[in-house]
Amino acid sequence: MKILTANRLADGEVVWLAPDHSWAVSIEAAEIARDKAAEEALERIGRAALSGNQVVDVALVDVAVVDGAIRPLRLRERIR
């Protein structure tokens, strides 16, 4: 499973792509890609947001859902 993260261009805030394609400040609002096609869709949306100067540092993040909460697998993303 993966989610899409980035930094908002206006203020550098860490954001996650939500199911409505807005950028949420809470990881719990992130859309979870559960297969390759969904990952590719998230990447397309991220590239468009990057091109539109909404966000920078767009990246897919590996996650697990633990007790109903989204948890990044990499330490770097947990710290963010």
Side-chain angles (χ1 to χ4, degrees):
M1 292 186 284
K2 296 183 187 272
I3 60 174
L4 190 69
T5 188
N7 291 88
R8 196 167 38 210
L9 189 61
D11 59 8
E13 182 78 27
V14 175
V15 292
W16 292 270
L17 187 68
D20 67 358
H21 298 173
S22 66
W23 292 97
V25 294
S26 169
I27 193 171
E28 295 306 322
E31 178 176 359
I32 300 172
R34 299 179 187 274
D35 60 35
K36 188 67 174 167
E39 289 176 24
E40 290 170 356
L42 291 182
E43 287 180 318
R44 280 192 301 277
I45 295 164
R47 282 193 302 272
L50 179 64
S51 294
N53 293 319
Q54 296 174 352
V55 295
V56 295
D57 297 328
V58 178
L60 283 176
V61 175
D62 292 313
V63 296
V65 177
V66 179
D67 296 327
I70 298 172
R71 298 287 178 243
L73 298 182
R74 289 184 56 208
L75 179 61
R76 176 182 186 266
E77 300 307 326
R78 284 188 218 145
I79 293 170
R80 291 180 83 186

